[in-house]
Amino acid sequence: MILSTSILSADFAHLGDEIHAVEQAGGDWIHIDVMDGHFVPNLTMGPFIVDTCRRISSLPLDVHLMVDNPDRMIDWFAEAGASTLSVQIEACPNIYRTLEKIRSLGCRPGIVLSPGTPAAAISQVLHLVDLVLVMTVNPGYSGQAFIPSTLPKINQIRQMLAEIQSQALIEVDGGITSQTLPLVYQAGARVIVAATSIFKHPAGIAAGIAELRESVA
Ligand code: DX5
Ligand code: ZN
């Protein structure tokens, strides 16, 4: 299981300290939520933050683009040091070209589905991706409640990947706690994004990471 810690809930006044605490506690990836105020109502981080994280840490940077027309920004994020670069299928009219461009720039391509998007929407491009990110909340904010009806979709995507013998990883994002993590793990998710349950854990970042790991131990 790969824990991808979403800095959307980090204290940005102490971002370096927070990321170093994640490293020491055994977090695997840093998840960076890019929102443009159009595709989702919230407005967050750009390539500058990716570049900042790259200078702070050598952990893989897992960049989640929640933006309209991501094609115009892919180069910026690749150059800033993104390791994986995931785009929302709902925002990509030319998804084939988008995914090929991400790979050609040296990043691992991922495709993201919002809760209302069926698994069938990505069937034609599954062979092009390294990651399938199933949103388990509506994209836009951390701290939202997990949507349980996304679980059958995780299972369905696991089967679709097996059928084409793809090694792509299934990632989940939104409302992950020590209660919901066993459910998504059982359904087939192996990359787990969490913001609130790590950065806002009452006993601190290390306790948050430990509690998540123990829930599927
Ligand atoms: C939501 C973002 C998530 C968010 C998760 O749109 O994509 O990555 O940070 O936050 P939690 O873990 O608090 O649900
Ligand atoms: Zn995210």
Side-chain angles (χ1 to χ4, degrees), residues 49-200:
I49 296 289
V50 175
D51 178 67
T52 302
C53 291
R54 178 48 72 230
R55 286 184 286 113
I56 292 171
S57 174
S58 58
L59 291 180
L61 302 180
D62 181 30
V63 177
H64 176 192
L65 297 182
M66 286 160 277
V67 301
D68 280 330
N69 191 12
D71 293 40
R72 69 205 148 107
M73 303 182 185
I74 285 170
D75 303 65
W76 308 345
F77 287 97
E79 201 172 315
S83 309
T84 68
L85 199 42
S86 298
V87 292
Q88 297 268 162
I89 181 74
E90 304 85 2
C92 295
N94 299 298
I95 186 63
Y96 231 94
R97 181 192 296 154
T98 306
L99 293 171
E100 284 178 340
K101 183 172 176 188
I102 291 171
R103 197 179 290 283
S104 75
L105 291 169
C107 302
R108 299 178 72 193
I111 186 100
V112 194
L113 302 90
S114 286
T117 304
I122 60 168
S123 62
Q124 299 304 307
V125 291
L126 267 189
H127 63 289
L128 295 177
V129 301
D130 288 0
L131 274 180
V132 178
L133 171 46
V134 178
M135 289 306 297
T136 42
V137 297
N138 289 298
Y141 302 96
S142 54
Q144 302 182 82
F146 179 78
I147 300 174
S149 61
T150 55
L151 287 169
K153 184 160 65 180
I154 299 170
N155 250 310
Q156 204 182 338
I157 291 170
R158 177 170 58 162
Q159 287 164 23
M160 288 163 67
L161 290 170
E163 271 164 29
I164 64 163
Q165 294 173 341
S166 166
Q167 301 299 310
L169 294 166
I170 301 178
E171 181 172 20
V172 288
D173 184 3
I176 300 299
T177 64
S178 51
Q179 280 73 49
T180 56
L181 178 45
L183 307 175
V184 294
Y185 190 83
Q186 167 93 31
R190 290 296 177 270
V191 182
I192 310 295
V193 178
T196 305
S197 55
I198 293 176
F199 288 103
K200 305 281 189 203

Side-chain angles (χ1 to χ4, degrees), residues 3 5 17-29 59 198-199 203-213:
L3 269 186
T5 56
D17 295 342
E18 301 260 283
I19 288 178
H20 289 141
V22 164
E23 286 178 332
Q24 287 195 337
D28 299 301
W29 296 358
L59 291 180
I198 293 176
F199 288 103
I205 289 170
I209 288 178
E211 188 178 319
L212 290 178
R213 289 218 190 270

